[in-house]
Amino acid sequence: MKHKLDRRQFISDFSLAGLSIAVGFPHVVHSSSTNVKPALLGGPKAHPDTFPSWPITAEMEKIELLDVLQSKTWGRLNGKAVGRFESEYKAITGSKHCLGVSSGTNALYTALGAMDIGPGDEVVIPVYTFVATYNVVVLNYALPILVDTDIETFQIDATKIESSITPRSKLIVPVHIGGSPADLDTILKIGKEHGIPILEDACQAHMAEWRGKKVGTLGLAGAFSFQSSKNLNCGEGGALLTDDEHFAERCYNFHNQGRQAANTNDPFTPTRASNLRMTEFQGSILLAQMARLTDQTRRRSENAAYLTKLLSEIPCIYPARLYEGVTESAYHLYMFRYDKEAFEHLDRAKLMEALRAEGIPCSGGYNAMNKEKYVTDLSKNKHYLNIYGEKTMQDWLEKNHCPQNDQLCEQAVWLTQTMLLGSKKEMEQIAEAILKIKRYARDLIKA
Ligand SMILES: Cc1ncc(COP(=O)(O)O)c(C=O)c1O
């Protein structure tokens, strides 16, 4: 059976025993000579150490957490930590409003709830995304319209969005996958021309920028995740950003059982709501973690740029390209495509096995979502058949073809953000590991 590591599992497995970024890496292997074998064939590992552990914690986390513990106010309604976090996140992103919630999924769910997305509505999403983007649409009995991927950038192919719009389209949700911004110029233009709001799924994209503006602040709203693997993390958590005051109030209502904030100006009375509140403990950890975010973002970017330079020199390794409007990527993932042509047709699975043996953790990323059973079975879901009818659901199933994405899902290789917190030398070791594998591809096929 084909086994793929889940992204979160992947990040936690390979970061537990790591070193702090401040620690040096004395056991560097210089294997640029052509006779050094890959580790899978008995040679020394290209990267014998461990990448930085995740999350990084210090005294600050203890102070903030103890503060909440001792205050005996652990819920946000009477506490201070979530409010402090919201103010600081607003300040570093340049957004007018921020709402902390219990997860990234619930940030998206809150936004859809506040927009009153429901049965009969269509929501445009990329096919290359984490399942949560799809799930929040389906939880509202709306129809997810999957758009193919731009294989060079791994992002939603913005040129294919317009043809997926119908009179039932109520929302477009671009995802900044891997933490790199989607083509927001094109997407915002389409949204404006068709009068359809844009909800940015920025769950992987903390501090990423499009033309100097933080992502999550360019559409009507932006959703963020603070789940354990994320660049900003409190175990589980999420936030919504928006510049629209009324929308911010609706989101607050939706996440707080329909109860309005004390200072509300919005006449809207919600008829559906939930409890999706962030706890004070989550808020306190985020306050401490946020203090390192800017430095970590810079370090990831510098290392990613260096790695791209090194990998671009290797034939048939294609690092994900950034759009011209990207002024910062969050590099939640470092993603590249592997074309086995220049590697004697060595399978991607074997390449990844060999990389792991070199001490370079990696995964193949997402499966083709449109082919997953949980997606194809939607066409048989009794509620969907009631709402949309058999013909619409059959047509929906048949239209779910994403050939570029199919190819990408066969070729993608992911490295995690924690690896980009390593040293420059470690970026060289990643490239060296790939080069070793390339040189010995024929022997690896036989092994
Ligand atoms: C693109 C994307 N959207 C949504 C989510 C959901 O976030 P959470 O896990 O915090 O619910 C994630 C998290 O993995 C994500 O990567």
Side-chain angles (χ1 to χ4, degrees):
M1 201 176 86
K2 213 161 122 191
H3 175 71
K4 281 196 173 185
L5 276 181
D6 168 72
R7 175 173 47 84
R8 294 156 175 201
Q9 185 63 43
F10 167 53
I11 289 174
S12 70
D13 281 1
F14 292 108
S15 59
L16 285 175
L19 301 173
S20 122
I21 11 178
V23 176
F25 295 87
H27 309 295
V28 171
V29 175
H30 294 281
S31 58
S32 40
S33 87
T34 50
N35 57 5
V36 177
K37 282 188 181 168
L40 208 55
L41 299 176
K45 285 181 170 191
H47 180 253
D49 300 295
T50 45
F51 284 100
S53 68
W54 190 255
I56 291 161
T57 57
E59 198 55 27
M60 232 186 311
E61 275 76 5
K62 280 192 206 156
I63 295 170
E64 293 286 359
L65 258 179
L66 272 178
D67 212 31
V68 169
L69 187 74
Q70 285 160 355
S71 74
K72 301 199 180 199
T73 306
W74 299 346
R76 79 153 294 159
L77 293 178
N78 298 310
K80 293 198 179 79
V82 174
R84 278 176 58 215
F85 156 70
E86 289 169 340
S87 297
E88 287 200 19
Y89 204 55
K90 244 174 17 184
I92 60 167
T93 54
S95 181
K96 289 200 179 126
H97 304 275
C98 173
L99 177 70
V101 290
S102 50
S103 68
T105 306
N106 281 338
L108 294 165
Y109 187 61
T110 299
L112 266 73
M115 286 177 206
D116 206 16
I117 300 289
D121 294 341
E122 290 180 0
V123 178
V124 175
I125 63 170
V127 68
Y128 199 69
T129 185
F130 182 60
V131 64
T133 321
Y134 167 90
N135 278 340
V136 292
V137 178
V138 171
L139 277 173
N140 286 293
Y141 294 102
L143 203 55
I145 306 298
L146 305 176
V147 174
D148 205 354
T149 310
D150 173 353
I151 196 165
E152 284 189 19
T153 60
F154 290 51
Q155 305 297 328
I156 187 169
D157 186 341
T159 64
K160 294 190 178 139
I161 292 179
E162 197 142 34
S163 60
S164 69
I165 289 175
T166 74
R168 291 176 299 282
S169 306
K170 292 289 158 26
L171 178 64
I172 301 170
V173 188
V175 179
H176 306 303
I177 212 72
S180 294
D183 176 4
L184 282 171
D185 285 355
T186 307
I187 297 165
L188 292 169
K189 186 162 170 274
I190 294 171
K192 203 166 169 195
E193 279 171 10
H194 292 266
I196 303 172
I198 307 296
L199 169 64
E200 294 172 68
D201 181 337
C203 282
Q204 300 182 4
H206 320 78
M207 305 297 275
E209 288 177 11
W210 182 261
R211 301 198 189 283
K213 272 197 93 183
K214 295 279 184 290
V215 302
T217 68
L218 288 110
L220 170 64
F224 292 82
S225 164
F226 307 125
Q227 172 272 338
S228 312
S229 69
K230 299 303 185 309
N231 298 16
L232 179 60
N233 143 37
C234 64
E236 299 287 355
L240 262 175
L241 298 181
T242 181
D243 280 353
D244 182 313
E245 188 181 344
H246 285 322
F247 187 68
E249 290 174 356
R250 288 170 192 206
C251 289
Y252 186 94
N253 292 345
F254 188 84
H255 108 299
N256 188 38
Q257 304 286 23
R259 295 190 177 145
Q260 304 193 338
N263 56 353
T264 188
N265 292 314
D266 191 359
F268 171 79
T269 311
T271 53
R272 297 167 60 243
S274 187
N275 169 9
L276 307 166
R277 293 186 298 260
M278 175 180 268
T279 70
E280 287 287 284
F281 294 111
Q282 289 168 299
S284 72
I285 293 184
L286 287 171
L287 280 166
Q289 293 278 311
M290 226 181 333
R292 303 182 196 98
L293 188 57
T294 303
D295 282 350
Q296 289 169 344
T297 306
R298 191 176 314 122
R299 189 176 184 103
R300 286 188 196 98
S301 274
E302 283 167 7
N303 272 333
Y306 186 47
L307 188 56
T308 296
K309 183 173 164 291
L310 298 175
L311 297 191
S312 300
E313 285 164 14
I314 306 177
C316 292
I317 298 288
Y318 304 107
R321 185 173 71 75
L322 301 179
Y323 290 112
E324 179 262 322
V326 176
T327 42
E328 185 77 88
S329 167
Y331 282 108
H332 174 60
L333 298 164
Y334 186 93
M335 306 181 289
F336 63 87
R337 272 189 305 126
Y338 166 69
D339 176 356
K340 55 188 177 186
E341 185 85 8
F343 285 65
E344 313 281 349
H345 292 267
L346 179 78
D347 274 354
R348 179 183 64 163
K350 194 76 179 189
L351 169 95
M352 292 194 296
E353 187 191 342
L355 273 174
R356 289 183 199 117
E358 296 293 340
I360 310 294
C362 56
S363 87
Y366 299 131
N367 289 319
M369 189 196 318
N370 53 329
K371 296 180 177 169
E372 297 274 16
K373 189 166 157 40
Y374 64 80
V375 172
T376 55
D377 274 2
L378 193 71
S379 63
K380 295 186 249 165
N381 177 290
K382 64 179 180 192
H383 302 296
Y384 273 77
L385 290 173
N386 276 339
I387 298 163
Y388 300 92
E390 208 163 312
K391 178 163 182 340
T392 303
M393 289 315 296
Q394 203 49 42
D395 287 351
W396 174 82
L397 188 64
E398 280 162 22
K399 269 196 227 147
N400 274 345
H401 287 301
C402 300
Q404 289 293 290
N405 192 64
D406 292 346
Q407 190 184 332
L408 179 64
C409 291
E410 295 294 312
Q411 294 186 329
V413 179
W414 287 3
L415 311 177
T416 67
Q417 53 99 359
T418 54
M419 298 163 74
L420 296 176
L421 292 176
S423 63
K424 202 171 167 196
K425 185 79 219 164
E426 287 181 290
M427 301 306 110
E428 290 164 7
Q429 290 171 336
I430 295 171
E432 182 53 37
I434 298 175
L435 276 172
K436 263 212 274 183
I437 293 165
K438 181 170 177 299
R439 277 186 225 117
Y440 282 84
R442 206 168 290 178
D443 302 273
L444 283 164
I445 290 169
K446 284 189 237 136

